[in-house]
Amino acid sequence: EPEVTQTPSHQVTQMGQEVILRCVPISNHLYFYWYRQILGQKVEFLVSFYNNEISEKSEIFDDQFSVERPDGSNFTLKIRSTKLEDSAMYFCASKPRGEGWPQYFGPGTRLLVL
Amino acid sequence: KNEVEQSPQNLTAQEGEFITINCSYSVGISALHWLQQHPGGGIVSLFMLSSGKKKHGRLIATINIQEKHSSLHITASHPRDSAVYICAVGVYGGATNKLIFGTGTLLAVQP
């Protein structure tokens, strides 16, 4: 069964460094999402992407964050200058079409900023 | 005020018990989702519903749109059901429907 994959599974970085989190959505899916979950807290929406552009972004998704779909398969989240508070689990999700379809989640990337 | 409220936050049950987890929301939604998160962190979609009731195996999800309330039931609970159960609502936003999550219910089923 097709699944969303994410790499790396864990990443440790120093404050101020740039990180790129990678996701490979399910082939033929059209809608893509990034969410994050700070340890012990609920999952929060970051950004959605459709038709090669950002569709919606949250207040968390400031100028330090960016997303790209550089080719037909990858979907990346870049954090330009990481802060301690960026430490979280980051989930990528995709869905095939608009309304009436569930989102399929990747296993997550656990990011630790020191 | 949280847009999605779940109760209880923690639930311990004995194997075989009937379990109910409740979810209330305060925003207009396109659909309501029940998700399962295991200790490793991965999130699995259990149900997506916009009306009525759905059943999958021992799991049943219901929604009352007028009351903005949903319930997840687990019949004949088993220790392997132990996980965090999350209610999330899809809300309209541009071309995509982002999910707003509840805080989750940590379920422990003891043998």
Side-chain angles (χ1 to χ4, degrees):
Chain A
E1 185 175 330
E3 57 185 23
V4 177
T5 60
Q6 290 185 241
T7 54
S9 58
H10 295 78
Q11 181 149 4
V12 180
T13 190
Q14 295 291 321
M15 190 170 56
Q17 294 296 304
E18 174 184 286
V19 295
I20 298 176
L21 309 183
R22 291 185 167 80
C23 169
V24 179
I26 295 173
S27 170
N28 82 353
H29 282 199
L30 301 177
Y31 296 80
F32 313 107
Y33 306 80
W34 282 103
Y35 296 88
R36 80 171 186 190
Q37 185 178 31
I38 295 171
L39 189 63
Q41 297 186 21
K42 64 183 179 181
V43 179
E44 302 172 288
F45 168 77
L46 290 177
V47 66
S48 60
F49 193 88
Y50 169 71
N51 202 25
N52 288 318
E53 62 182 15
I54 290 175
S55 181
E56 187 179 2
K57 57 184 180 180
S58 71
E59 292 176 353
I60 304 167
F61 195 88
D62 61 21
D63 292 344
Q64 292 301 312
F65 291 86
S66 63
V67 288
E68 266 192 337
R69 188 155 159 81
D71 52 41
S73 59
N74 291 284
F75 181 50
T76 62
L77 174 69
K78 181 193 290 186
I79 309 175
R80 288 191 183 80
S81 179
T82 50
K83 306 182 184 71
L84 297 176
E85 55 264 37
D86 293 328
S87 296
M89 179 78 99
Y90 288 81
F91 293 102
C92 171
S94 70
K95 70 174 182 177
R97 293 178 184 81
E99 287 191 48
W101 291 88
Q103 294 180 22
Y104 295 81
F105 286 82
T109 293
R110 187 170 296 283
L111 176 65
L112 178 60
V113 182
L114 301 176
Chain B
K1 182 184 188 303
N2 288 326
E3 293 159 305
V4 182
E5 299 270 4
Q6 279 185 243
S7 63
Q9 290 192 337
N10 294 280
L11 181 56
T12 300
Q14 294 298 312
E15 184 173 356
E17 283 186 9
F18 180 83
I19 288 162
T20 296
I21 300 170
N22 295 299
C23 175
S24 297
Y25 55 93
S26 58
V27 294
I29 69 171
S30 57
L32 185 139
H33 302 250
W34 282 101
L35 307 152
Q36 182 189 58
Q37 185 172 31
H38 279 284
I43 296 173
V44 175
S45 179
L46 298 175
F47 294 104
M48 184 181 76
L49 63 165
S50 53
S51 65
K53 173 179 172 178
K54 285 190 177 180
K55 185 176 189 291
H56 181 68
R58 295 181 293 105
L59 302 179
I60 302 166
T62 64
I63 187 168
N64 184 318
I65 297 294
Q66 286 72 32
E67 295 188 4
K68 295 189 173 179
H69 180 269
S70 175
S71 293
L72 176 68
H73 306 285
I74 304 175
T75 61
S77 59
H78 191 276
R80 65 174 174 267
D81 297 327
S82 299
V84 176
Y85 292 84
I86 304 172
C87 171
V89 297
V91 295
Y92 297 103
T96 56
N97 295 348
K98 68 181 181 184
L99 294 180
I100 298 177
F101 289 73
T103 53
T105 295
L106 176 59
L107 171 65
V109 181
Q110 296 178 342

